Amino acid sequence: MTIRVMIVDDQAMVREGFSVLLNAMPDIEVIGEAVNGREAVAQVEALRPDVVLMDIRMPELNGIEATREIVAADSDAKVLVLTTFDLDEYVYQALRAGASGFLLKDASARQLADGVRVVAAGEALLAPTVTRRLITEFSRISAAPRTPALARVGDLTERETEVLVLIAQGLSNAEIASHLVVAESTIKTHVSRILVKLGLRDRTQAAVFAYEARLVTPG
């Protein structure tokens, strides 16, 4: 299946460059563009993309607020934040708003396409060290566990909680299966149940939840 992508950035050269790179991929199609967050929200509703490449700093409505509105509208679109700096403070806020991960604007064509594929599949961009560092860092911002997160932890079984912690540590399904000595299909089932029970969109949001509930200690 072709992955439908929308590019949101106030710089025409960025939009055009990413569009050329992604349209060159046989399994990816750029179906729309937007120059600010307000236009992005409207375009997502109209075009129903699978993945939205979202810049953070834009006029009218920034990428964080646009991401929040897209997620609140219960859109199936996954948001992949674009940033110039790998430790941009706004990336923390974007992940909290519901973004599924982030990419640097100077990413190679392969990194860009792979990032789109990973997020479209519902996986998390947690493997790179810098992304783990991001999640660890924003977890330090909260002085105490978030009450809603703590309350929902009780809905999970002991094994589901264990799997959630491993997700937050950046492990893939295969790595979790190896660690727990079970079949990968079993882990996929646990992950699906975790997302349903906690009302989460994907593994990135599961990792965010784990840190905010203090199931994982930063560091």
Side-chain angles (χ1 to χ4, degrees), residues 123 159 163 167 171-193 203:
E123 296 291 324
R159 178 44 64 93
V163 170
I167 289 173
L171 274 64
S172 66
N173 283 347
E175 291 169 334
I176 295 174
S178 177
H179 181 79
L180 298 180
V181 196
V182 297
E184 186 173 349
S185 59
T186 299
I187 298 303
K188 289 181 179 178
T189 299
H190 284 313
V191 172
S192 296
R193 288 176 177 169
R203 295 169 71 97

Side-chain angles (χ1 to χ4, degrees), residues 47-142:
L47 300 177
R48 302 292 181 182
D50 301 307
V51 176
V52 178
L53 291 179
M54 180 78 75
D55 188 25
I56 292 179
R57 295 173 179 80
M58 294 181 294
E60 294 194 34
L61 189 71
N62 64 39
I64 296 170
E65 292 306 320
T67 296
R68 186 173 287 113
E69 290 194 20
I70 289 169
V71 172
D74 202 26
S75 167
D76 290 331
K78 303 290 175 52
V79 178
L80 192 51
V81 171
L82 299 171
T83 181
T84 305
F85 308 104
D86 59 5
L87 286 181
D88 187 334
E89 62 179 294
Y90 295 109
V91 174
Y92 312 150
Q93 298 176 41
L95 288 173
R96 275 217 174 102
S100 297
F102 84 100
L103 278 176
L104 297 181
K105 283 190 176 182
D106 62 358
S108 67
R110 179 175 179 177
Q111 289 172 327
L112 179 64
D114 285 347
V116 167
R117 294 182 185 111
V118 166
V119 169
E123 296 291 324
L125 289 178
L126 296 179
T129 302
V130 67
T131 311
R132 290 196 191 127
R133 211 161 72 225
L134 273 171
I135 293 182
T136 299
E137 182 62 28
F138 90 65
S139 72
R140 288 195 178 100
I141 296 174
S142 297

Side-chain angles (χ1 to χ4, degrees), residues 5-7 12-25 28-33 53 112:
V5 176
M6 189 173 82
I7 301 171
M13 288 183 64
V14 173
R15 297 196 308 274
E16 291 171 7
F18 282 165
S19 182
V20 169
L21 292 174
L22 291 175
N23 278 327
M25 303 294 167
I28 298 175
E29 177 188 7
V30 176
I31 61 169
E33 299 179 3
L53 291 179
L112 179 64

Side-chain angles (χ1 to χ4, degrees), residues 145-152:
R146 292 193 165 194
T147 302
L150 282 175
R152 287 150 64 196

